[in-house]
Amino acid sequence: MALTTYVEAIRQGIWEEMESDERVFILGEDVGIYGGAFKVTKGMLEHFGRERVIDTPISESAIVGAAIGASYVGMRPIVEMQFIDFISCAFDQLTNFAAKSRYRWGAGVPIVVRGPCGGGVHGGPFHSQNVESFFMNTPGLKIVAPSTAYDAKGLIKAAIRDEDPVLYFEHKYLYRRIKEELPEENYIVPIGKAVIRREGRDLSIITYSAVTHTALEASEALAKENIEIEVLDLRTILPLDEEAILQTARKTNKVIILHEATLTGGSGGEIAARIAEKAFEYLDGPIVRIAPPDTPVPYSPPLEEFFLPQVEDVIEAARKLAAY
Amino acid sequence: MALTTYVEAIRQGIWEEMESDERVFILGEDVGIYGGAFKVTKGMLEHFGRERVIDTPISESAIVGAAIGASYVGMRPIVEMQFIDFISCAFDQLTNFAAKSRYRWGAGVPIVVRGPCGGGVHGGPFHSQNVESFFMNTPGLKIVAPSTAYDAKGLIKAAIRDEDPVLYFEHKYLYRRIKEELPEENYIVPIGKAVIRREGRDLSIITYSAVTHTALEASEALAKENIEIEVLDLRTILPLDEEAILQTARKTNKVIILHEATLTGGSGGEIAARIAEKAFEYLDGPIVRIAPPDTPVPYSPPLEEFFLPQVEDVIEAARKLAAY
Amino acid sequence: MPKQKAAERKISKMKISKKTKKELLYYMKLTRSIEDRIERKLYRQGKIVGGVYVGRGQEAIGVGSAIHMEEDDIVAPTHRDMGIFLIRGISVRRIIAQYMGRKTGVTKGKDANMHMGDLNHNVIAFVSHLADNVPVAAGCALAFKMRGEKRVALCYNGDGAVSRGDWHEGVNLATVHKLPIVFFINNNAYAYSTPLNLQMAVENVADRAVAYAMPGEIVDGNDVLAVYEASERAIRRARQGEGPSLVEFKTFRMTGHSAHDDAGYVPRELFEEWQKRDPIPKLETFMKKEGEITQEEIDNMQKEIEETIDDAVQWAENSPFPDPEDTLKGVYYEE
Amino acid sequence: MPKQKAAERKISKMKISKKTKKELLYYMKLTRSIEDRIERKLYRQGKIVGGVYVGRGQEAIGVGSAIHMEEDDIVAPTHRDMGIFLIRGISVRRIIAQYMGRKTGVTKGKDANMHMGDLNHNVIAFVSHLADNVPVAAGCALAFKMRGEKRVALCYNGDGAVSRGDWHEGVNLATVHKLPIVFFINNNAYAYSTPLNLQMAVENVADRAVAYAMPGEIVDGNDVLAVYEASERAIRRARQGEGPSLVEFKTFRMTGHSAHDDAGYVPRELFEEWQKRDPIPKLETFMKKEGEITQEEIDNMQKEIEETIDDAVQWAENSPFPDPEDTLKGVYYEE
Ligand SMILES: Cc1ncc(C[n+]2csc(CCOP(=O)(O)OP(=O)(O)O)c2C)c(N)n1
Ligand SMILES: Cc1ncc(C[n+]2csc(CCOP(=O)(O)OP(=O)(O)O)c2C)c(N)n1
Ligand SMILES: [Mg+2]
Ligand SMILES: [Mg+2]
C-alpha cells in the first residue's frame, strides 16, 4: 500500500468529507484554480465545482465571517488561511462571533479554520508563527494540531463533523516530510483525546505538532542511556485532555512540556498549571518547559535554528530532569 | 488633601504627560467633545485642542495603525479603546506591526493602547472581557493593569514614557469605586515591578487589577482565623516580575493565583508554570488557580455573580490550601 | 456595471394597501412603545439590567424594510432595530424578559438587551463589535446562492459602522459574488458623539456603493412608505439574482447614544427640526387624510399595544432569573 | 467635493528633463537587474534564504513615483517595490545581504528579503499582512499635519490588498482628516492566482476613490513618464494640504507570484502582450528617438549596474551570518 504524506492526508480528509456531505465547502485565497498555496485543495475545484471551492478576495475577517453565516443556515464551511499567521486578521470574528455564538443564543457554528503553522523553513516572523495561545483563553473554540499523517486525516474529518468552531493548525514543516500508510476505511481521530506516542517510566514529555518528532528523537537517544521517556502527543490543545496529562504526570512523576510557540504565554503554562494543581503530590521534580525564547521568529538560518527547540535541547533538559 | 478616584488618576496622568511632552496626543472614538465614554479624556479637547485630542471613525485597526505610524515619526500616541473588548479588531496591528517592529528593523513603537476592561457591571459578553492573555504570547508588547488610583496614575505615565508598545488595561469597576490621596509631585510606577499589598507568611495570593481587592478582603477575613496571607499585586503582566513571584512563593511556600480572566489559557498558567519550574523545591502544596469558569462573561446578575471570583471563593480556597 | 450616482430622495405614495399601512403603523407604534416603556419606565425603576439603546425616531427603517421578508429570509439587525425583532415574530414577552435578564428572555440571560437572536425566527444576534454582522450576513447569502435558493439576507448597520474594515470586506465579498443581500444603513447623523464629517469624507453612505459596483439609494428614513418602497426594490433585486444593493435611510437619533447620554453635543435645533418629521405622526396624518384610519382606531391600536406590553412586563417580572449554574451551560455542543 | 469619474489613461511626454529620464532609466534597470540576479541566479544557486518575490515588468511604478520624494517624506512600500529602496538610498550591498540572511542585511537577518525598512532612510518595513501599511502610513501623515510640516507619506499596495479591511479603515481615516498622503496601487491583474474579477466587482481600483471623496486616477503603469507625471500631481496635492489621492497604475506581473510559482493560471497571450509593453525598452526607445541617449550609453549603464551588483554579491557573500545569540536581541528597548 502507498505511503501518504501529511499534506495528502489532510487533502484526503477534506475530499472524503466533501464527497459524503454536500454541506461541506471550502473558501479561502487561491484555493480554487491554484489548489492552495501548499496544494491542500489541489484538484478540488475541478472535482467539486466553483460553488464549493471558492476563491475569495484577501479578506480574512470576511472569509471567517462568511463561514459563520453559512454555518447558521446549514452549511459546514472550511476556511483556509494561506498562512496561519493571517488568522490575526480574523481574530475578532473568531473570538467574538464564532466562539460566543452558541453560549449567547444557542446558535452553533460548525466551521473549520485551517492553515499552515510553524517554522523551520526560513519563513521569517510572518510565515512561521504558532498561534494557538492567542485563542486558548476563548471558551467556545476548539484547537487541534496533528503531528502525523494518520492524525492529520482523522482530525480534519473530526473537525469538519464537529458542531463547534475548530481551529486546525497543520505544520508546514511536516507537509511533505512525513508519510505513513493510512487505513483504507473511513476513520476519524476524536477531538479532545491525546495519545501516548511512546511509553516510558522516567519522565514524560507532553507536546504536540511538529516537535512531537523532536521529543521522540530525543527519547530514542536517551533510551540508550537507560532513560525511558513517555511522550504524550496532545493532538487537541483546546479543550485539553486533562486526564491524559495528569495520568502521565502521575505515572512518571516528572514532566517536560515542549512546544514550538514561544515560551511566555504559550500553551505550556496552562498544562503546567493543571499538573501543579492536580498532580502536585506526584511530582518528583520541577515542571520544565522547553520552547523558543520570547522573540518573533527570526529569518536567517543561524537565528531560526537557535530559536527552534532542537533535539539536543530536549536531551539535555531530560537528562537533567531525570537526574533530579 | 482631596481624594482622587481611579478614573481621575488616569486622566491626571495623561494630562500631565500631555502638558510636559508635546509629542503626546490621544486618539480614539468619542474622546474629544464627549470626553470619552467613561470621561477619561474629559476637558482635554478644550485644553489641548483638536490636533492633540482626535475623534476617530470606528476603526480600531486603523486607530492603532495610525498610532504606530505617528510613533515612527516622533510622536507618542495614546489610543483609547472605548471598551477594551474592541481591541480584538486591532489584534493584527498590535501583534504583527507594533510588537515585532523593533525586533525586525529596529523601529521602536512607543504607543499606549488603553481602555476599560473587566466585569461586575452587567456589561455582558462584549463589554466585560479581560483580554490580557490574547497578547501574552507576543514578545514585544508590554501589559499593565493597575489596581489602585496611585498605580493607575503612575503606570499610565510610565506607559506613555515607555519606548515600547504598552497595553494599559483599566478596570471599569474601579473607575469611581476607589479613591485615595495622591502625591503632589510627579511620580511614575515603573513597568515590570510587582508590589506586595499585604505581608503574610502562610500563603501567597498572586493577582492583579480589580480582584486584588477581592484578595485583600479575603486576607483580612482570614487573618481573624490566624491565616496570614501575602498578597502580591503584579501590576505588570508582561513582562512578569518573576523575581517577585518566586520570592513570595519561596517565602510562604503555598500559592494561589487569582485573576478575572477565565481559567483556561488565562495568565495564571504562565505564573504557575514559572513557580512550578523555578520554585518547585519550596512548594508545600499545589498551586491553586482561582478564576472564572471557561465561558463568555454572562449578562444576567445571578450568572455574572456566579461567574466572577467572589471573596468567599478565595477564602474557601485559601483555607483549604493553608490546611494542606 | 451600475455606476449611477446615489439617487435623490424620493417620497412615494405608491399603491401600498391600507392593510399594509396599518401594519406598518402598528409595528412602528409597538416599537416606540416598547422602547419607551423600557427606557423611560423600567430602566428608571431599576428593572433593566445594563445599558439601554433605543431607536426612537428611527422606527420606520426596521419596520418598513423587514416587513418584506419571506419566512425563510434571514436578517442581521443592529442595536436600533427593535422593530425587526417584532416583525420576525419574537414575542414582546421574551423581549421584555431579555431586557430584565430573565431566564425566559431571548438569550436566557446570557447576553444583553438588544443582543437578541433566534434562528427559529431567522434573526442573527447582534454582537457589539460593529459591522461584524456584514460578513456573517454575506455568508448566509452565499449559502443561499450556492444552493440555488431564492432566499435573501438583510443586513443593518448605522453610519458609524461603515468605517469598520469588516464592513468593507463583507460588502466587497458580497458584490464580487453577486450575493442575494441588501445592506441597509440607518444614517442618523451621529455615531455616539461623533458627527458624520468626522466619520467619512463623503456626504452620504450611499456614495460608497459605487466602490462596489452596486446600486446605492438614499431614502427618507422617516417616511415609512418611502422606506417600504425602496426596500421592496432592493430586496426584489437581490431575490432575482441581481446582487446586492446599498440603501441609506436618512434619519436622526432622537435620544442620546444610550440612556445615560444626554446628547449635549447635539445642537438642540436639530432635535426640534427632526421632531417635526417623526415617522409615526407622519404616517398617521397621511392615513387620516386619505381616510384610511380614524383617530379612534389609532387610539385603540395604542391601547392594545399598551396592554400587550403590560402583559409582557408582568410576565417578565414573574419570570425567574437564570440559575447561577446556567453560567456553565452551552459553551460547546452537548448531545 | 471631488466626485469625478476615474480619469482616462494618459501618456505624457511633458517637460521631463533628460537628466531625470536617465535617472528613471537607471533605477528601473538597476531594479530589474538586482531582481534578475536574485531570482535567476542567486536563488537557483541556493544562496537566497526563503521565498523570492520580484516586480519584473512593474519597475516603472516604484521608480517613477518615489523619485519625487523629498528627503524627509516617508514611504511604506509593498513586496514588489524594490525600486523604492534603491531610490531611498538603501545600498545594493545591504539589500543583497538582506536576501542572503546576513548580519549586514537591512534587517540584520531578522526578517525576510523585501521586508526591509530603515527609518534613517524614511522607509517603513513591510509586514506580510497586506494593507496593514495603510493605517500606519496614514499615522505618519497625521503627525506631519498635526505638526504643520510639509512632509508627505506615500503608501503602496497591490490590487489584492485593497480587499483588506485595513485598507478601507486607513484610507477612510486619511480622507476624513485630509492627510498629506498618496495611495499608490499597482494593479497587475492578479493577487497570487486570483484574477481581478474575483477580487472586486469594480473594473478599476480607482473607481473606489469616490467612496472616500478623493481623486482617483488611472495611469499606464508601464510608462514611467506617465507614472512620473501623475505621481508628481498627487504628491504635490498632498503636500499643499489638499488631501489624499488614489493613483492606480495598470501593469502586469511578468512572473509567477513568487519564484516557485510558474503562473500556469495566467493565459500565455497576456505575457506576450505585456512583454511588448515592458517599461524599460519603452523608455530606452523613446529616449533614443529623442536623441537623449545612445545605445552605448545604455550599455555602459548596464555594465555599471552589473558591476555594482557583482560587488554587492561579493560583499554580501563575505558578510557573516548573524550570531545565534542575536536571536535574543532587540525585542524591547535597551539603553
Ligand atoms: C468595533 C466597535 N467599536 C466601538 C464600539 C462602541 N460603540 C457602540 S455604538 C457606537 C456608535 C455607533 O454608531 P452608528 O454605527 O452610527 O450607530 P447608531 O448608534 O448611530 O445607530 C460605538 C462607537 C462598538 N460597539 N464596536
Ligand atoms: C492578510 C494577508 N493575507 C494573505 C496574504 C498572502 N499573500 C501574499 S501576497 C498575496 C497576493 C497579493 O496580491 P496583490 O495585493 O495584488 O499584490 P501583487 O502580489 O499582485 O503585487 C497574498 C494573498 C498576505 N500576505 N496577507
Ligand atoms: Mg449613527
Ligand atoms: Mg496584484
Side-chain angles (χ1 to χ4, degrees):
Chain A
M1 204 182 143
L3 297 178
T4 306
T5 58
Y6 181 93
V7 68
E8 176 60 17
I10 301 168
R11 189 169 155 274
Q12 281 181 12
I14 296 172
W15 194 287
E16 289 175 16
E17 293 303 301
M18 286 182 74
E19 284 286 8
S20 66
D21 184 348
E22 62 182 17
R23 299 171 306 168
V24 181
F25 71 102
I26 188 149
L27 71 171
E29 294 149 21
D30 308 296
V31 296
I33 187 162
Y34 196 67
F38 290 91
K39 304 293 175 192
V40 173
T41 58
K42 197 177 153 196
M44 291 188 187
L45 177 70
E46 294 75 4
H47 187 78
F48 296 107
R50 55 167 52 248
E51 293 295 331
R52 294 181 70 196
V53 185
I54 303 174
D55 275 326
T56 63
I58 303 171
S59 308
E60 283 77 7
S61 192
I63 300 168
V64 170
I68 295 168
S71 82
Y72 283 151
V73 295
M75 303 302 287
R76 299 246 158 194
I78 303 170
V79 168
E80 172 169 308
M81 294 280 149
Q82 198 157 86
F83 284 81
I84 208 63
D85 308 67
F86 304 131
I87 204 170
S88 56
C89 302
F91 183 80
D92 174 51
Q93 286 284 352
L94 284 167
T95 58
N96 286 310
F97 224 119
K100 298 178 173 62
S101 179
R102 183 184 295 286
Y103 187 74
R104 294 170 54 229
W105 61 294
V109 178
I111 66 171
V112 178
V113 178
R114 46 158 287 274
C117 71
V121 301
H122 314 314
F126 304 112
H127 289 76
S128 312
Q129 293 177 75
N130 291 283
V131 300
E132 58 271 16
S133 76
F134 298 170
F135 299 100
M136 285 202 57
N137 199 214
T138 299
L141 299 177
K142 295 180 178 178
I143 305 175
V144 300
S147 73
T148 68
Y150 180 92
D151 282 2
K153 182 168 178 181
L155 280 170
I156 191 71
K157 289 167 69 90
I160 294 167
R161 295 183 200 175
D162 202 274
E163 298 294 335
D164 290 308
V166 181
L167 310 182
Y168 179 99
F169 299 145
E170 46 206 61
H171 202 294
K172 69 175 79 66
Y173 188 82
L174 301 180
Y175 271 150
R176 289 172 177 83
R177 282 192 180 78
I178 59 172
K179 45 183 85 151
E180 65 187 296
E181 240 179 60
L182 297 188
E184 287 283 355
E185 67 278 8
N186 205 326
Y187 72 95
I188 65 151
V189 171
I191 292 177
K193 286 277 163 232
V195 66
I196 291 178
R197 293 275 172 220
R198 188 185 196 288
E199 299 262 358
R201 54 157 201 266
D202 296 319
L203 66 84
S204 303
I205 300 180
I206 301 176
T207 187
Y208 55 91
S209 193
V211 286
T212 304
H213 301 279
T214 313
L216 289 170
E217 252 188 79
S219 303
E220 287 309 316
L222 285 171
K224 292 180 195 129
E225 301 178 18
N226 217 9
I227 298 173
E228 287 299 337
I229 295 179
E230 179 147 307
V231 177
L232 183 73
D233 177 358
L234 292 171
R235 305 198 286 198
T236 296
I237 312 166
L238 192 70
L240 284 167
D241 187 347
E242 185 175 286
E243 210 182 297
I245 291 170
L246 297 180
Q247 207 164 346
T248 191
R250 288 179 182 141
K251 176 180 173 191
T252 67
N253 314 116
K254 290 180 179 175
V255 176
I256 289 174
I257 300 162
L258 169 66
H259 56 63
E260 195 188 302
T262 54
L263 184 72
T264 297
S267 62
E270 180 61 31
I271 299 163
R274 297 214 189 175
I275 297 169
E277 180 158 4
K278 298 183 180 168
F280 175 73
E281 313 90 292
Y282 293 85
L283 288 179
D284 288 342
I287 301 172
V288 174
R289 286 184 298 167
I290 303 176
D294 291 333
T295 76
V297 186
Y299 160 73
S300 187
L303 304 180
E304 194 183 16
E305 201 187 313
F306 181 89
F307 175 88
L308 291 172
Q310 306 294 334
V311 174
E312 247 338 295
D313 301 327
V314 179
I315 290 177
E316 213 172 292
R319 221 183 252 138
K320 211 170 124 193
L321 183 60
Y324 183 91
Chain B
M1 203 183 141
L3 296 178
T4 307
T5 58
Y6 181 93
V7 68
E8 175 61 17
I10 302 167
R11 188 170 155 274
Q12 280 180 12
I14 296 172
W15 195 287
E16 289 176 13
E17 293 303 302
M18 286 183 74
E19 284 286 7
S20 67
D21 184 348
E22 62 181 17
R23 299 171 306 170
V24 181
F25 72 101
I26 189 149
L27 71 172
E29 294 149 20
D30 308 296
V31 296
I33 187 164
Y34 197 65
F38 289 91
K39 303 294 174 193
V40 173
T41 57
K42 197 177 153 197
M44 290 187 187
L45 177 70
E46 294 76 3
H47 188 76
F48 295 107
R50 55 165 53 246
E51 293 295 332
R52 295 181 68 196
V53 185
I54 303 174
D55 275 327
T56 64
I58 302 172
S59 307
E60 282 76 8
S61 193
I63 299 169
V64 170
I68 295 169
S71 83
Y72 282 152
V73 295
M75 302 301 288
R76 299 249 158 190
I78 304 170
V79 168
E80 172 169 307
M81 295 280 149
Q82 197 156 88
F83 284 81
I84 208 62
D85 308 66
F86 304 131
I87 204 170
S88 56
C89 302
F91 183 80
D92 174 50
Q93 286 284 351
L94 283 167
T95 58
N96 286 311
F97 225 119
K100 298 178 173 62
S101 179
R102 183 185 295 286
Y103 187 75
R104 294 170 53 230
W105 60 294
V109 178
I111 66 171
V112 177
V113 178
R114 46 157 288 274
C117 71
V121 302
H122 314 315
F126 303 112
H127 287 75
S128 312
Q129 293 177 73
N130 292 283
V131 300
E132 57 272 15
S133 76
F134 298 170
F135 299 99
M136 284 203 57
N137 200 215
T138 298
L141 299 177
K142 296 180 177 178
I143 306 176
V144 300
S147 74
T148 68
Y150 180 92
D151 282 2
K153 181 167 178 182
L155 279 169
I156 191 70
K157 288 166 71 88
I160 294 167
R161 296 183 200 175
D162 203 273
E163 298 295 335
D164 291 309
V166 180
L167 310 182
Y168 179 99
F169 299 146
E170 47 205 61
H171 202 295
K172 68 175 80 67
Y173 188 83
L174 300 180
Y175 272 150
R176 290 174 176 82
R177 282 191 179 79
I178 58 171
K179 46 183 84 151
E180 65 186 296
E181 240 179 60
L182 297 188
E184 286 284 353
E185 67 280 9
N186 205 327
Y187 72 94
I188 65 151
V189 171
I191 292 178
K193 287 277 163 231
V195 65
I196 292 180
R197 292 277 173 219
R198 188 184 195 287
E199 299 262 359
R201 55 159 200 268
D202 296 320
L203 67 84
S204 303
I205 300 181
I206 300 175
T207 187
Y208 54 92
S209 193
V211 285
T212 303
H213 301 279
T214 313
L216 288 170
E217 251 189 78
S219 303
E220 288 307 318
L222 285 171
K224 293 179 195 129
E225 301 179 19
N226 217 9
I227 298 173
E228 286 299 338
I229 295 179
E230 180 145 308
V231 176
L232 183 73
D233 178 358
L234 293 172
R235 306 198 286 197
T236 296
I237 311 165
L238 193 69
L240 283 167
D241 187 347
E242 186 176 284
E243 209 182 300
I245 292 170
L246 298 180
Q247 207 164 348
T248 191
R250 289 180 181 141
K251 174 180 174 191
T252 67
N253 314 115
K254 290 179 178 175
V255 176
I256 289 175
I257 299 160
L258 168 67
H259 57 64
E260 194 187 302
T262 55
L263 184 72
T264 297
S267 62
E270 180 61 32
I271 299 163
R274 297 213 188 177
I275 297 169
E277 180 157 3
K278 299 184 180 169
F280 175 72
E281 313 91 293
Y282 293 84
L283 288 179
D284 287 341
I287 302 172
V288 174
R289 285 185 299 167
I290 304 177
D294 290 334
T295 76
V297 186
Y299 160 72
S300 186
L303 304 180
E304 195 185 15
E305 201 187 313
F306 181 88
F307 174 88
L308 291 172
Q310 305 294 333
V311 174
E312 244 340 292
D313 301 327
V314 179
I315 290 177
E316 213 173 291
R319 219 183 253 140
K320 213 171 121 195
L321 184 59
Y324 183 88
Chain C
M1 208 187 48
K3 262 202 204 167
Q4 70 272 40
K5 207 191 143 306
E8 288 305 293
R9 301 185 189 190
K10 39 183 146 184
I11 300 198
S12 150
K13 311 275 139 81
M14 49 105 55
K15 27 182 167 39
I16 301 173
S17 75
K18 188 171 106 178
K19 180 165 160 293
T20 299
K21 283 188 207 133
K22 276 196 179 159
E23 212 180 345
L24 293 170
L25 183 62
Y26 172 78
Y27 278 115
M28 288 202 291
K29 287 171 82 69
L30 180 58
T31 301
R32 171 79 51 93
S33 303
I34 288 175
E35 292 195 333
D36 278 354
R37 186 72 69 94
I38 288 172
E39 194 203 37
R40 298 186 165 168
K41 274 234 173 93
L42 300 170
Y43 180 72
R44 293 181 189 166
Q45 293 169 351
K47 290 179 177 167
I48 299 297
V49 183
V52 166
Y53 306 76
V54 299
R56 189 170 305 126
Q58 310 184 188
E59 294 88 349
I61 295 169
V63 169
S65 54
I67 197 129
H68 295 291
M69 289 177 73
E70 303 285 339
E71 196 182 333
D72 59 0
D73 292 340
I74 202 157
V75 61
T78 183
H79 57 290
R80 305 219 187 268
D81 294 325
M82 176 67 85
I84 296 176
F85 298 95
L86 299 168
I87 285 186
R88 293 310 293 169
I90 296 182
S91 77
V92 182
R93 287 179 165 189
R94 287 176 76 206
I95 291 172
I96 302 283
Q98 167 82 1
Y99 277 73
M100 291 184 174
R102 305 301 163 119
K103 189 166 181 147
T104 53
V106 183
T107 69
K108 305 193 170 95
K110 293 285 182 63
D111 204 346
N113 39 50
M114 97 292 300
H115 290 204
M116 295 179 278
D118 189 338
L119 282 181
N120 293 323
H121 295 264
N122 280 324
V123 179
I124 295 176
F126 174 70
V127 305
S128 291
H129 298 65
L130 295 169
D132 274 20
N133 64 349
V134 179
V136 173
C140 298
L142 181 70
F144 297 159
K145 185 177 179 214
M146 198 181 296
R147 299 187 301 221
E149 296 166 355
K150 284 257 172 250
R151 297 160 70 178
V152 303
L154 307 187
C155 182
Y156 290 78
N157 275 292
D159 44 286
V162 172
S163 303
R164 281 267 349 271
D166 277 45
W167 194 85
H168 172 68
E169 291 194 4
V171 169
N172 186 53
L173 186 71
T175 48
V176 165
H177 289 279
K178 271 199 152 203
L179 301 180
I181 187 167
V182 182
F183 302 107
F184 291 118
I185 300 293
N186 95 58
N187 183 343
N188 61 9
Y190 284 90
Y192 208 150
S193 73
T194 305
L196 219 57
N197 68 313
L198 291 178
Q199 299 179 55
M200 58 191 79
V202 284
E203 261 174 56
N204 310 295
V205 174
D207 297 342
R208 299 200 145 159
V210 175
Y212 308 92
M214 66 176 164
E217 193 171 345
I218 296 171
V219 179
D220 179 352
N222 283 28
D223 178 346
V224 73
L225 303 181
V227 170
Y228 181 89
E229 195 200 308
S231 306
E232 194 275 332
R233 274 197 304 275
I235 293 172
R236 177 157 33 89
R237 196 171 174 279
R239 203 180 304 281
Q240 288 173 348
E242 294 166 47
S245 315
L246 173 61
V247 185
E248 174 180 12
F249 300 115
K250 300 284 193 189
T251 185
F252 201 73
R253 194 188 69 199
M254 296 300 290
T255 62
H257 172 63
S258 68
H260 69 268
D261 169 22
D262 68 1
Y265 47 83
V266 178
R268 296 295 109 173
E269 314 84 75
L270 285 176
F271 283 124
E272 283 158 30
E273 186 189 312
W274 282 88
Q275 184 60 51
K276 295 184 203 128
R277 301 172 57 182
D278 188 319
I280 296 177
K282 185 175 192 149
L283 179 59
E284 287 176 349
T285 308
F286 177 78
M287 288 180 74
K288 281 198 275 190
K289 210 161 64 195
E290 300 283 303
E292 294 178 325
I293 203 163
T294 64
Q295 186 57 45
E296 197 189 336
E297 280 177 285
I298 292 173
D299 294 342
N300 284 339
M301 191 184 273
Q302 187 63 39
K303 199 157 148 270
E304 191 198 309
I305 284 170
E306 296 300 336
E307 284 165 11
T308 305
I309 299 175
D310 289 342
D311 161 77
V313 170
Q314 201 177 5
W315 184 83
E317 290 197 286
N318 289 334
S319 285
F321 278 99
D323 302 321
E325 291 74 20
D326 290 352
T327 301
L328 303 175
K329 286 186 199 143
V331 178
Y332 294 102
Y333 176 72
E334 290 149 20
E335 309 239 14
Chain D
M1 206 186 50
K3 261 200 203 166
Q4 71 272 39
K5 205 188 145 308
E8 287 306 291
R9 302 185 189 188
K10 41 184 143 185
I11 299 198
S12 150
K13 313 273 140 84
M14 49 106 53
K15 30 184 164 36
I16 301 173
S17 74
K18 190 172 105 177
K19 180 166 160 291
T20 299
K21 283 186 207 134
K22 275 196 180 161
E23 210 182 348
L24 292 170
L25 182 62
Y26 172 76
Y27 278 116
M28 287 201 294
K29 287 172 82 70
L30 180 59
T31 302
R32 171 80 50 96
S33 303
I34 289 175
E35 292 195 333
D36 278 355
R37 185 73 67 95
I38 288 172
E39 194 203 38
R40 298 186 165 167
K41 273 234 175 94
L42 301 171
Y43 179 74
R44 292 182 190 166
Q45 292 169 351
K47 291 180 177 166
I48 300 295
V49 183
V52 166
Y53 306 76
V54 298
R56 189 170 304 126
Q58 309 185 188
E59 294 87 349
I61 295 169
V63 169
S65 54
I67 197 127
H68 295 291
M69 289 177 73
E70 304 283 340
E71 197 183 331
D72 60 358
D73 291 340
I74 203 158
V75 60
T78 183
H79 57 290
R80 303 216 190 270
D81 294 326
M82 176 67 86
I84 295 177
F85 298 95
L86 298 168
I87 284 187
R88 293 309 292 168
I90 296 182
S91 77
V92 181
R93 287 181 165 189
R94 288 175 76 206
I95 291 173
I96 302 282
Q98 167 81 0
Y99 277 73
M100 291 186 175
R102 305 301 163 119
K103 189 166 182 149
T104 52
V106 184
T107 69
K108 306 191 169 98
K110 293 287 183 61
D111 203 347
N113 39 50
M114 95 292 299
H115 288 205
M116 296 179 277
D118 188 338
L119 282 181
N120 292 324
H121 295 265
N122 279 324
V123 179
I124 295 176
F126 175 69
V127 305
S128 291
H129 297 66
L130 295 169
D132 274 21
N133 63 351
V134 180
V136 173
C140 298
L142 182 68
F144 298 159
K145 186 177 179 213
M146 197 182 296
R147 298 187 301 221
E149 297 166 355
K150 283 256 171 248
R151 298 160 70 179
V152 304
L154 307 187
C155 183
Y156 291 78
N157 276 292
D159 45 284
V162 173
S163 302
R164 281 265 352 270
D166 277 45
W167 194 85
H168 171 68
E169 291 195 4
V171 169
N172 187 53
L173 187 69
T175 47
V176 165
H177 289 279
K178 271 199 153 203
L179 301 180
I181 188 168
V182 182
F183 302 106
F184 290 117
I185 300 294
N186 94 59
N187 183 342
N188 60 8
Y190 284 89
Y192 209 149
S193 72
T194 306
L196 219 59
N197 68 312
L198 290 178
Q199 300 179 54
M200 59 189 80
V202 284
E203 262 175 56
N204 309 294
V205 174
D207 297 343
R208 299 199 145 160
V210 174
Y212 308 92
M214 66 176 165
E217 192 170 345
I218 297 171
V219 178
D220 178 354
N222 284 28
D223 178 347
V224 72
L225 303 181
V227 171
Y228 182 88
E229 194 200 308
S231 306
E232 194 276 333
R233 275 197 304 277
I235 292 171
R236 177 157 33 91
R237 195 171 174 278
R239 204 181 301 283
Q240 288 173 347
E242 292 166 48
S245 315
L246 174 61
V247 184
E248 174 180 13
F249 299 115
K250 300 285 193 189
T251 186
F252 200 73
R253 194 188 68 200
M254 295 301 289
T255 62
H257 172 63
S258 67
H260 70 269
D261 168 23
D262 68 0
Y265 47 83
V266 178
R268 295 296 109 173
E269 315 83 76
L270 284 177
F271 284 124
E272 284 157 31
E273 186 188 312
W274 283 88
Q275 183 62 51
K276 295 183 203 130
R277 301 172 56 183
D278 188 318
I280 295 177
K282 185 175 193 149
L283 180 59
E284 287 175 349
T285 307
F286 177 76
M287 288 180 74
K288 281 198 274 189
K289 209 162 61 194
E290 301 283 304
E292 294 177 324
I293 204 162
T294 64
Q295 186 57 44
E296 197 189 337
E297 280 177 283
I298 293 173
D299 294 342
N300 284 341
M301 190 184 272
Q302 187 63 38
K303 199 159 150 269
E304 189 198 312
I305 285 170
E306 296 301 335
E307 283 165 10
T308 305
I309 299 174
D310 289 341
D311 161 75
V313 170
Q314 200 177 8
W315 185 83
E317 290 197 285
N318 288 334
S319 287
F321 279 99
D323 302 320
E325 291 74 22
D326 289 353
T327 302
L328 304 175
K329 286 187 199 144
V331 178
Y332 294 102
Y333 175 72
E334 290 150 20
E335 310 238 16

